[in-house]
Amino acid sequence: GEAYDVTAHADHLAAWLAAYRLPPACVLGHSSGAQVAAALASRHPDTVRAVVLAGPTCDPKARTRPRQIGRWLVDVAREAPLQAPILVRDVWDARPWRVRTTLSHSVRNPVEADLVRIAVPALVVTGSRDPVVPPSWRAQVARLVPQARTVVVPGAAHNVATTAPVQVADAIRRLLAPSLTKG
């Protein structure tokens, strides 16, 4: 019945992980979900063993709904052709009012405060053609997260996690490789 803000969403995710008694997980958040992943890692560090920030928002230079929408409209033209109908269906399934409210929460969220508190290995992954996450913001995110690696997928736009799954999965495997060999 309501759209959670970033903090509430992270708290619900932490409660879900605890309810299932899951060990610390590698959490991937895409777009505004990257803000949720950062908040989870910051506020509930015992639940996260690594974090993947795929196309992380919200660039301070575009921290308004109109600017984010403008960047997303540019992105639609850069995405793989089948992404547009998927995105329309996703907005419809989530309900437009919830998407609008979630976007409002996203642009008001001071993500930088969470990024600097991430104490686990992190991956910042974007597409080279992502207008939502320009190179300057991608670099700033990587500088703010203490243990961040950056991967830029050539030719990909904002939906890098779904349009370049092999490259993203390979990068995540490399991120987790040291802990995978420990058992």
Side-chain angles (χ1 to χ4, degrees):
E2 65 182 273
Y4 300 132
D5 65 15
V6 172
T7 301
H9 200 141
D11 291 346
H12 284 292
L13 183 54
W16 183 86
L17 291 166
Y20 282 93
R21 297 185 179 145
L22 296 175
C26 175
V27 176
L28 184 148
H30 174 256
S31 198
S32 61
Q35 292 182 43
V36 174
L40 179 70
S42 172
R43 298 172 53 83
H44 304 279
D46 55 320
T47 64
V48 178
R49 80 179 226 198
V51 65
V52 179
L53 307 171
T57 60
C58 193
D59 178 4
K61 293 178 183 170
R63 211 168 265 174
T64 67
R65 278 197 321 247
R67 287 184 181 148
Q68 283 296 298
I69 291 168
R71 285 184 177 189
W72 286 331
L73 290 173
V74 170
D75 181 64
V76 169
R78 294 182 181 183
E79 290 291 351
L82 292 178
Q83 287 297 296
I86 292 168
L87 296 171
V88 168
R89 189 191 69 224
D90 287 348
V91 168
W92 180 256
D93 289 347
R95 300 294 178 243
W97 68 266
R98 185 175 289 120
V99 172
R100 183 177 192 273
T101 303
T102 299
L103 177 58
S104 295
H105 290 314
S106 176
V107 298
R108 287 193 303 264
N109 179 56
V111 66
E112 295 88 346
D114 289 325
L115 295 173
V116 298
R117 295 180 55 203
I118 295 174
V120 294
L123 178 65
V124 178
V125 61
T126 65
S128 65
R129 300 182 66 224
D130 185 347
V132 180
V133 184
S136 60
W137 175 238
R138 174 181 61 230
Q140 185 176 350
V141 171
R143 279 192 305 274
L144 290 171
V145 179
Q147 299 180 57
R149 300 178 193 177
T150 302
V151 171
V152 179
V153 178
H158 187 62
N159 292 326
V160 66
T162 55
T163 60
V166 172
Q167 295 93 324
V168 173
D170 287 346
I172 293 169
R173 275 192 278 285
R174 287 190 301 274
L175 174 72
L176 297 176
S179 60
L180 290 175
T181 59
K182 293 178 185 175

